[in-house]
Amino acid sequence: MPPLWHTGGAMTPDFTSALSGVLVQGLKGEFVNTAKVFAAIPNGHHDYKPDPKSKTAMELAWHIATVDVWFLDSIAAHKFTPGSLPMPDDIKTGSDIAAWYEKAIAASLPKVEAMTGDQLMVPVDFYG
């Protein structure tokens, strides 16, 4: 039997499943680090902007957090729907965003992890 990476030029369900496993493991570490970055936003500096035209530190963190969750949920649903999630009023600090993010990732990532190779190979339209 040839190795998984030797697919004769075509993706297979077995290869796709193995690749997904490797990517998900990498993402788990990245998600932990991303939450640490959110939590490190200094209190009193939530309105910091790297550029006058930029979003604030909190707005940037919220955008990154929600996009990560949106991508996972969209992959699992086989559907990418435009839109954004407004920041809840109870989120006041970078640590609040980190806590929300950790909980949301913990709910979303298993959906992708549970997908079969066949499910992962289904083409999904990304906004046409």
Side-chain angles (χ1 to χ4, degrees), residues 19-101:
L19 180 60
S20 173
V22 170
L23 294 174
V24 164
Q25 285 307 108
L27 286 173
K28 286 180 179 181
E30 290 302 317
F31 291 147
V32 168
N33 291 332
T34 301
K36 289 178 184 177
V37 171
F38 298 152
I41 297 171
N43 290 335
H45 296 280
H46 295 143
D47 291 336
Y48 168 77
K49 292 183 173 189
D51 184 85
K53 296 179 183 178
S54 177
K55 294 180 180 193
T56 66
M58 288 291 287
E59 291 167 338
L60 287 168
W62 184 249
H63 171 74
I64 293 166
T66 58
V67 166
D68 279 355
V69 173
W70 174 80
F71 264 109
L72 290 172
D73 289 343
S74 297
I75 291 166
H78 285 137
K79 184 175 183 179
F80 289 88
T81 306
S84 61
L85 182 64
M87 190 182 319
D89 292 335
D90 63 336
I91 292 185
K92 306 286 187 201
T93 67
S95 293
D96 292 341
I97 292 177
W100 178 91
Y101 182 72

